[in-house]
Structures are given as structure tokens and as C-alpha cells.
Amino acid sequence: MKKLLLLLALTTTLFTFAQLNTEVFVFDIHPAYEGLQLLNARNVSNNPGYDNQPSFISNERLVFAGDNDGQTDISEYNLATKLQKWVNQETKGGEYSPQKFPSSDDLAAVRLDPNGKQRLYRYNSKTGQSSEIVPDLQVAYFAFYDDSKMLATVLDDEYMSLVMIDLPNKKADTLFYKAGRSLQKVPKTKAMSYTLVNEEGNLDLYLLDMDSYESFFVTELPIGIQDYVWINDTQVLVGSGSNLFMYDTLGGLEWNGVASLWEYGIKNISRMAISPDGKKLAVVAEAM
């Protein structure tokens, strides 16, 4: 385990934390013997500059933060038609981490304004107009559980705090301090996952039962890794360099290599997203 963690640390660069020339790639994924088979690779951003933070809004459509002539806006790409469009009306700030509301076509995204103000906004799917969701809350990252609740990390001095947001009442309760940026709803469960910085400075992965609000430790992420995605209710995927590694909560206690994207000319994998049917994987990385 320690040897693998060290290996991942060596193959993860500092650019994981501040990638500038990233692209969003999408693959069809299938289970394979001792791994994953990734097919039908396509670059859906294919754009100079910062393209990042993908999220599927259906099995064939995804949104991401895209470089729009130097401005970061919400880009939507249709995998079936291969058409791209910009979603939001132009603002003075940049839009990041777009995600669909669970039972609405509206989107939520973090807006970073030129004055440093960082807030969570709702974007009307028909007009592109926006409105602040929780006034004056310095949201960094977020993930929906349902239309009433979401987890978010908020800026708190040099670290981030994990909060539970009551959307109807626009209230936030702090759960933990020193949280990581990756938040996920675990497929087909009543749980969400989050990470906390441990004593060694690495990130531990936890599950939060959204009925009882009890937390359960899952595993430590490989050294230097911040991002992960659940490809189903038991298997977690991370990327390091050009490689993908999986942790199975029903299997052993190791991170196992399951795929390499080297043949596709892809390096420095960071964020990922899975389609609702679990058949497509979006990967943020750099082209070699």
C-alpha cells in the first residue's frame, strides 16, 4: 500500500492543483478483467485555456467550466449531436463547477468575481440569467444530494470547511474543518462522500449517511490526489499522471491500476465525472 502511495505521489505533479491548459475528454467505459476498458475517446472541449470541472446533466449531455475567449463560462456539450453551446448570460465574473439541479433543468455554479467575491448562483435554463442561492456564503465546491440539501466546502482562512446547506431556508451548518474539494453523491445510495485532511497532510475519504448524518471512514486517497469519482455504489476511481486506479469497498484494501490513458496522449488527470447510467466517464487532463 505504502509503495503504491509513493508511486502515485511521484506521478502526480503540482499542476494537479492549478492546471491552466486542461481539456475535457469523454470515454465509453466497460468492466474488463482486473480493470476497465475505455473506448471511443473524444475531446469535448477542444479549446485553448482552462476547461475543467465536468458534470453530466444526462447520459448524452454534460456541462463544464470552459474558456470563452478568456472568460470562464458554462459550456454544454451534446455527445449525440456533437454540438456545443454557452449556457449563461455574460457576467463580470467567471463561472465554475456547473451542476444541474436534481429535478430541474436549471444549473448551479460558483461565480468568482473580479473583486474576489465567490458565491453560488442559480442559472435559469431558458434565459441564462442568474440569482444568488445562499447570500454571502463563500462557496468553493459543492454537490447536490437533492433539491433541499447539498454539501459544500466554504473558504475558511487557509483551509476549507465542509458545510451542509439547507436550500429552501438558505442556511449552512458547518460539519467539519480542513475539508478537501471533491464532493460526490454516491450512486444508488442515501450517502454522500467528502474528504478531510489527515495528520499526514493527505486526504481521507468518508461517507456521510444523509438520513442519520453519521460519517464512516472509507480509505485514504493516494498521496497528492484530491479528486475521485464513484463509478457505482462500491467502486471509487482516481487518476494520477496518465493512469486510473480503483478502490473497491467490497474488495481488498489496495488501490489497483485499472487503465492507462497514455495511448490517448493524456497526462495529469485530475477531476472526473460519471454519467447517470455509469457508461461514460469524463476526465479532465492535459494533452501531451
Side-chain angles (χ1 to χ4, degrees), residues 263-278:
E263 63 182 287
Y264 297 107
I266 291 174
K267 65 178 182 178
N268 293 335
I269 299 168
S270 56
R271 293 173 175 87
M272 293 178 288
I274 195 81
S275 61
D277 62 6

Side-chain angles (χ1 to χ4, degrees), residues 101-266:
F101 275 77
S103 61
S104 166
D105 289 333
D106 290 354
L107 298 175
V110 173
R111 180 185 299 168
L112 177 59
D113 289 326
N115 62 5
K117 184 178 178 181
Q118 190 165 312
R119 301 289 188 266
L120 187 62
Y121 281 81
R122 182 172 188 147
Y123 296 81
N124 186 286
S125 60
K126 295 181 180 179
T127 66
Q129 293 181 333
S130 58
S131 57
E132 196 170 350
I133 295 176
V134 183
D136 301 322
L137 189 66
Q138 286 274 82
V139 175
Y141 304 96
F142 69 98
F144 285 100
Y145 177 67
D146 55 25
D147 287 319
S148 298
K149 292 182 285 188
M150 70 162 57
L151 285 182
T153 53
V154 299
L155 305 179
D156 185 11
D157 294 327
E158 59 181 313
Y159 292 101
M160 295 186 294
S161 296
L162 182 72
V163 303
M164 176 81 72
I165 296 179
D166 179 337
L167 291 168
N169 295 311
K170 302 182 184 296
K171 292 182 179 180
D173 292 321
T174 300
L175 303 180
F176 299 102
Y177 299 99
K178 295 186 178 181
R181 73 185 184 190
S182 191
L183 305 167
Q184 302 279 326
K185 187 177 188 298
V186 184
K188 299 179 181 179
T189 72
K190 293 185 177 181
M192 296 193 73
S193 61
Y194 61 93
T195 56
L196 297 178
V197 180
N198 61 28
E199 293 180 353
E200 287 76 35
N202 302 317
L203 289 170
D204 288 337
L205 178 64
Y206 291 87
L207 290 179
L208 177 66
D209 186 304
M210 295 298 286
D211 284 338
S212 66
Y213 297 133
E214 291 184 89
S215 284
F216 304 92
F217 174 78
V218 178
T219 187
E220 181 183 22
L221 294 186
I223 295 171
I225 299 299
Q226 297 190 74
D227 304 295
Y228 65 89
V229 67
W230 293 86
I231 60 174
N232 52 49
D233 59 343
T234 64
Q235 294 176 317
V236 190
L237 201 65
V238 301
S240 178
S242 298
N243 301 311
L244 296 176
F245 296 84
M246 182 187 293
Y247 182 90
D248 194 329
T249 60
L250 299 180
L253 301 179
E254 300 285 340
W255 287 94
N256 297 306
V258 292
S260 174
L261 305 185
W262 180 266
E263 63 182 287
Y264 297 107
I266 291 174

